[in-house]
Amino acid sequence: MGDRSTFARKQSAQPRQQPQEQLFDTHPEVSLDFETVRQAARQKYNRPFLILDTAIVRGKVRRFRAAMPRVRPHYAVKANPDRRVLKVLVQEGAGFEIASVAELDILLSMGVSAAEVFYSNPVKSRDAIAYAAAKGVEWFVVDSGDELRRVYEVKPDAKQYLRIAAPNIGSDWPLSGKFGAGVGDAREIVALAAKLGADLAGVTFHVGSQCRNPENWRVALEKARSLFDLMTKAGLKPRLLNIGGGFPVRHVKPIPSIETIGAVVNEGLKAFPEDVQVIAEPGRFLVSDAGYFVCRVLGTATRAGKRWMHWDAGLFGGVIESSEGLKYRVRTDRSGPDIPWTVGGPTCDSVDIVMRDEPLPSDLQEGDFIYIKNAGAYTTAYASQFNGFPLPEVRVFESAG
Ligand SMILES: *Cc1c(COP(=O)(O)O)cnc(C)c1O
């Protein structure tokens, strides 16, 4: 049975990792037991599935809180909106971050108080703002004067928080090219809030998803601190600091542990008064390593001398992040020597290529299971029925451990 692991082999063959990577690798990461996953696949397989152990989600929430006692996690629902996952997060005392009213509705139907929900999508329709406000949502993000005005017009007493641009160096998904006000824009937005009398009451940032560089949090916290001062000078009352998401999980590359990041964050937080409410919006960190995504080899082909295999789940079926640069750890039941494979999904779309020239066992064949480790986030949440292929199944259980 192969842990795909040209990677693992290469690493252990090296004398030692780079000093910086050693520092990053000091805390072992948890993940779902592989034998449990194999058994689940052998017992029943109709279509690709995500199998997820909520005991691991509970452990991750607790570990997050222990690493940053001053920071309350508000789970980013988009990472995995399964109700059974959300329920466990409610039980563990997490709050929530939403991007849409549909996400809000799920939470409200589960009895979550709207006051626990942060609406962190920087561009929301007027209808969406009004709907959320009517349901009791109090906090709304903005990263432009246009949005500040719009939120203010729909809900004059809304508590708004300003998303600032943060460094995204060393993040697998740099986001700052899209959202977040730069210094000049932030000044103008603060001035506008003061002029209108809008309650611009906090600051947020997102260091980029799967952020492997703790420095980003340090720099972003310093920027937030300066903005607090600027807001106070303008007559505003800043009282919320939202440090966003981006906390990484283990795949192939080394990551800093949550404790390492926590040490940097806790230090940065000392510059903020005690009565400032501090939250974070972890998505990936809380759910990724609770799950394995399982699919199957649909067929193989040789094209222009290259080996191809097609899985029954590709970019449209849940395995999209690999196309954007994330290297998953892929396991199989084969042990043949690795050869480069190009992996396609089941659809006829030419973009449906999961990875190119990846070292995987040469003897993989039709019907074999593919097990993708730590895939509880941003898999099923992205899946569509494009080309008529079914959505993956989501199997949730809670282990005793
Ligand atoms: C997606 C998102 C998150 C969660 O990001 P992760 O990298 O999964 O932790 C948090 N906040 C906002 C505003 C987001 O868009």
Side-chain angles (χ1 to χ4, degrees), residues 74-79 97-99 118-122 141 161 163 173 175 179 204-211 217 242-248 280-288 321 377-378:
H74 282 246
Y75 174 64
V77 173
K78 73 173 186 290
E97 178 272 320
I98 56 161
F118 282 67
Y119 204 150
S120 284
N121 188 335
V141 82
Y161 49 110
R163 177 149 166 192
W173 280 267
L175 310 168
F179 295 126
T204 189
F205 54 79
H206 197 304
V207 293
S209 203
Q210 184 71 0
C211 175
W217 278 278
N242 174 350
I243 66 171
F247 307 93
E281 300 173 337
R284 186 186 299 285
F285 177 81
L286 297 181
V287 293
S288 274
E321 288 207 303
Y378 303 117

Side-chain angles (χ1 to χ4, degrees), residues 6 11 17 46-47 65 108 167 174 217 238 251 313 353 361 391 399:
T6 309
Q11 277 179 6
Q17 293 169 0
N46 306 321
R47 58 183 206 268
R65 301 189 88 145
L108 294 177
W217 278 278
H251 293 290
I353 293 175
L391 290 174
S399 65

Side-chain angles (χ1 to χ4, degrees), residues 298-361:
L298 203 65
T300 55
T302 301
R303 298 190 183 114
K306 275 188 186 283
R307 285 299 277 160
W308 283 71
M309 71 177 117
H310 290 260
W311 294 350
D312 55 358
L315 264 55
F316 302 101
V319 195
I320 190 169
E321 288 207 303
S322 63
S323 70
E324 298 171 355
L326 187 141
K327 278 213 186 299
Y328 283 121
R329 202 168 277 289
V330 176
R331 309 178 81 165
T332 71
D333 297 310
R334 299 281 174 188
S335 55
D338 287 349
I339 59 163
W341 284 93
T342 294
V343 176
T347 74
C348 288
D349 194 306
S350 59
V351 307
D352 194 3
I353 293 175
V354 176
M355 44 203 194
R356 290 180 189 274
D357 298 319
E358 275 295 309
L360 288 166

